[in-house]
Amino acid sequence: MSLTAALLFALAGPATAVPVEQVRARAPENEIIYFVLPDRFDNGDPSNDTGGLTGDRLTTGYDPTTKGFYHGGDLKGLMQRLDYIQSLGVTAIWVAPVLKNKAVQGAKGHESAGYHGYWITDFTRVDPHFGTDAEFAAFVDAAHARGMKVYMDIIANHTADVIQYRECVAKTCAYRSKADYPYQRRGGVTGKPINPGFAGDAVQTPENFARLTDPAYAYTPFVPPSEASVKVPAWLNDPRYYHNRGDSTFAGESARYGDFSGLDDVMTEDPRVIAGFISIYGSWIDQFGVDGFRIDTARHVNPEFWQAFIPAMQTRAAARGIPNFPIFGEVYSETVDPGYTAQFTRRDKYPEVLDFSFQAAARAMLTGKAGTDVFARLIDGDVLYEGGDATALRLPTFLGNHDMGRMGYMLDKAWPTATEAERLQRLTLAHVLLLSARGVPTIYSGDEQGFTGHAGDQDSREDMFPSKVATYNDNRLIGTKTTTATAHFGTENPIFQTIAKLSQIRRDHPQLRHGRTVVRFASEKAGLLAFTRGDDDGREVLVVLNTSTQPLSANVEVGAQSARFTALAGNCPASVTAPGSAMITLPPLGYAICAAAPARLPSK
């Protein structure tokens, strides 16, 4: 550790550090994750707000009054709020990409900044807007000392938008397919022969890709002189290592070969590219000891890349003394379709994927679009994942995120006439489901403070420190009368308190982390959802939710060995009414979490 990193660590670390080996020994399903965009969290060092650049916002990317530009949050700000994060009950921090980005890109009049971290130019160092490599190292060490892990958000699908096409400079470049524009012809099937002997991208050998020397098969790519060497490592500056087929339509062939909204789509079929990314991200494990990866745009990369990359990262982590190294891919979906996400654990060999099906089920059930049986359908799909139920326990689950928006917004949209009390009840119920169901609960920073946003993407990326963005500050938060114009690092919001309480319950009861899920009651209508976590050994945990605005009472099946209950949250029956049956009574939008115990043995 450098002197600078040591000083920063001393400021942020606890008095008594948790041994890092103890932190790394925890299995992925034992974690509770907190996802944060550093730029929107806290500004610990205003001197880095412009990233060392000079000029206006179109040069520096810094404009704290506009939602699409840098606001000043950084790694120092994240470090100085570790107490706050830990007080929520979080055990792992997923940090949006911190690698150096292209500060600003976009057509004239439509520019925005790389504050989110997904427009990388230099894959080898921290973006100066966020701080330094030493500060990232200090942050990771400080988190470890508190017993928390750090998951790093990474990208292999694309880089920043640097490569241009002669045929459509400053214009949208429509996708050009492999059938209409094959690798072996320039500009279409009747064009000049090029790349002799190239056998197509399915033959993924160094010898074959050595024959792909001319990248002008679909478009004529070029790099503006001012950006000729902007990407690091240097091999990323060569257009040969990109698909160069124009913008993706996010369907069919273009989903893997097209540019994601103009971003340079990497030729991940090429063994040189595979080796390059293994070297890049392996070095971040070696140097900083991060504990896992979240991988952006995973579904837009060919399976063979992941089949090589993921085992290499796990091997690299093991060599660094990190036995549990989750790698969860973003496989974006808005439907309850476990089969779709599960294919990436089978074919692509992802150990985990973000559980978009959980989000879709929670959204449908809590917004009144579906009955409680949608949760049963989600659980039924767990068998589809490679490893089945055991893998489902490790899937990061979430209610909303920085792309699709927040659950608070979704609930407000579904229930526009809800009172403040009802808004709080509904969002509370969402977090009860998140923290009691199988999977690894993932909190999007700001959700614990009742943030709602206006929609997805930039509209859901509010500042935790005092915001200067008018369209954030007019949001109607949940559980508080404050606005995003003030800092939100307190613990008073009832949503924060609910999450902290449920996090402790989850940590105290291994059934909620490791136990099997048995759906005990669900229906096609809003109302009762009941499920148990754990085995039928008399010590399961019963979770019941009422998604309706009417009180309810019902007999719910429980395990045959369960006899008594202790209320962990809400009101629980003292005992079963008959072997295998418990009477549950819930208020409107109410819930209860009940720890079972077996019958007492008669005294001798």
Side-chain angles (χ1 to χ4, degrees):
M1 186 187 299
S2 70
L3 178 60
T4 302
L7 291 172
L8 289 167
F9 170 79
L11 292 173
T16 304
V18 177
V20 69
E21 295 80 10
Q22 182 177 321
V23 178
R24 289 171 172 163
R26 292 200 307 261
E29 57 267 34
N30 285 326
E31 311 304 339
I32 297 171
I33 302 172
Y34 189 74
F35 169 54
V36 60
L37 291 163
D39 179 66
R40 303 301 165 90
F41 196 66
D42 200 15
N43 190 347
D45 184 4
S47 71
N48 62 30
D49 288 353
T50 63
L53 304 170
T54 57
D56 63 12
R57 72 175 193 168
L58 296 184
T59 300
T60 68
Y62 177 67
D63 181 356
T65 69
T66 305
K67 63 185 178 181
F69 285 77
Y70 285 97
H71 291 177
D74 50 33
L75 290 166
K76 281 187 177 179
L78 193 54
M79 283 186 64
Q80 71 187 17
R81 297 296 183 179
L82 287 175
D83 273 343
Y84 167 80
I85 295 172
Q86 193 164 31
S87 68
L88 191 60
V90 168
T91 62
I93 305 173
W94 156 20
V95 185
V98 296
L99 308 184
K100 188 175 186 301
N101 269 230
K102 186 172 183 176
V104 178
Q105 65 181 42
K108 187 175 182 179
H110 299 279
E111 301 93 345
S112 61
Y115 68 91
H116 41 67
Y118 296 103
W119 297 344
I120 301 171
T121 54
D122 188 341
F123 286 78
T124 66
R125 68 184 181 113
V126 169
D127 192 300
H129 288 89
F130 300 144
T132 65
D133 289 3
E135 287 167 356
F136 184 64
F139 162 67
V140 173
D141 290 342
H144 284 163
R146 293 169 177 272
M148 293 188 288
K149 297 181 179 180
V150 174
Y151 296 154
M152 185 177 176
D153 205 324
I154 68 170
I155 308 157
N157 176 67
H158 58 262
T159 70
D161 183 11
V162 173
I163 297 172
Q164 308 297 311
Y165 304 135
R166 298 286 181 193
E167 293 82 356
C168 48
V169 175
K171 298 178 182 177
T172 299
C173 301
Y175 183 76
R176 291 182 169 179
S177 71
K178 292 194 289 181
D180 291 331
Y181 295 87
Y183 292 112
Q184 296 84 357
R185 293 291 186 273
R186 177 173 291 163
V189 293
T190 61
K192 175 186 174 182
I194 57 175
N195 301 318
F198 182 63
D201 57 49
V203 181
Q204 295 170 8
T205 64
E207 296 77 15
N208 184 47
F209 273 87
R211 302 185 184 103
L212 186 64
T213 59
D214 188 342
Y217 33 82
Y219 287 101
T220 308
F222 72 97
V223 177
S226 62
E227 296 184 297
S229 302
V230 72
K231 294 180 184 178
V232 182
W235 62 268
L236 284 163
N237 293 300
D238 191 335
R240 289 184 303 164
Y241 298 121
Y242 298 84
H243 288 125
N244 304 310
R245 291 189 173 276
D247 286 349
S248 176
T249 65
F250 305 105
E253 175 189 304
S254 81
R256 286 188 184 157
Y257 292 87
D259 294 343
F260 192 109
S261 300
L263 298 166
D264 299 348
D265 197 69
V266 184
M267 178 78 77
T268 47
E269 296 82 7
D270 190 332
R272 173 68 182 87
V273 172
I274 298 172
F277 275 118
I278 287 174
S279 176
I280 287 168
Y281 290 120
S283 70
W284 285 88
I285 297 173
D286 294 344
Q287 185 175 354
F288 299 99
V290 294
D291 303 287
F293 288 152
R294 179 267 190 183
I295 301 184
D296 184 66
T297 51
R299 69 188 180 107
H300 300 295
V301 176
N302 58 301
E304 297 85 0
F305 179 90
W306 300 128
Q307 291 164 9
F309 179 84
I310 290 171
M313 294 301 97
Q314 292 172 324
T315 298
R316 200 74 164 253
R320 182 65 165 76
I322 309 170
N324 296 299
F325 193 84
I327 300 176
F328 48 102
E330 180 210 21
V331 183
Y332 195 97
S333 172
E334 294 196 9
T335 60
V336 183
D337 187 1
Y340 175 71
T341 47
Q343 68 180 300
F344 292 85
T345 67
R346 290 185 174 273
R347 181 196 59 212
D348 300 51
K349 302 306 178 184
Y350 266 91
E352 299 91 17
V353 290
L354 281 166
D355 195 351
F356 278 86
S357 285
F358 175 90
Q359 196 283 331
R363 181 180 73 245
M365 183 171 67
L366 297 170
T367 60
K369 303 297 183 183
T372 56
D373 59 338
V374 71
F375 181 80
R377 181 151 54 95
L378 169 79
I379 299 302
D380 285 344
D382 286 351
V383 68
L384 300 174
Y385 293 94
E386 183 73 27
D389 292 345
T391 297
L393 291 173
R394 303 195 307 267
L395 304 180
T397 52
F398 61 99
L399 298 173
N401 63 25
H402 59 311
D403 290 326
M404 63 170 47
R406 298 182 184 274
M407 180 57 76
Y409 167 77
M410 299 171 196
L411 293 173
D412 280 350
K413 189 176 179 181
W415 311 103
T417 62
T419 64
E420 292 303 313
E422 183 180 332
R423 294 175 77 218
L424 178 59
Q425 284 179 300
R426 291 187 183 279
L427 191 55
T428 297
L429 207 60
H431 283 95
V432 170
L433 182 66
L434 177 69
L435 284 147
S436 61
R438 93 313 174 248
V440 183
T442 303
I443 312 296
Y444 176 30
S445 63
D447 278 3
E448 76 278 12
Q449 297 291 345
F451 285 14
T452 56
H454 282 304
D457 199 73
Q458 295 179 4
D459 288 319
S460 62
R461 299 173 182 178
E462 306 97 314
D463 304 305
M464 293 285 286
F465 58 107
S467 183
K468 298 179 181 179
V469 179
T471 57
Y472 291 163
N473 294 341
D474 68 2
N475 290 350
R476 189 164 60 109
L477 309 189
I478 298 175
T480 177
K481 294 181 179 180
T482 63
T483 74
T484 55
T486 62
H488 282 81
F489 296 108
T491 62
E492 301 82 12
N493 192 297
I495 296 296
F496 183 103
Q497 295 174 359
T498 293
I499 293 173
K501 176 183 177 181
L502 294 173
S503 295
Q504 186 64 54
I505 292 171
R506 190 176 182 92
R507 291 196 302 275
D508 291 345
H509 294 272
Q511 298 93 330
L512 293 174
R513 292 177 277 120
H514 303 280
R516 65 172 184 154
T517 301
V518 180
V519 177
R520 299 296 189 175
F521 185 89
S523 75
E524 297 177 354
K525 299 178 180 179
L528 179 62
L529 172 66
F531 58 92
T532 52
R533 302 292 312 280
D535 295 325
D536 185 9
D537 58 0
R539 301 190 183 280
E540 63 192 354
V541 175
L542 171 66
V543 181
V544 288
L545 296 85
N546 180 6
T547 65
S548 78
T549 55
Q550 301 297 318
L552 64 81
S553 294
N555 289 315
V556 171
E557 182 187 10
V558 294
Q561 302 302 312
S562 297
R564 299 173 288 119
F565 295 99
T566 299
L568 305 179
N571 294 317
C572 298
S575 62
V576 296
T577 52
S581 180
M583 170 60 75
I584 295 296
T585 299
L586 293 175
L589 302 174
Y591 67 93
I593 303 175
C594 313
R600 293 187 180 92
L601 295 174
S603 57
K604 294 182 180 179

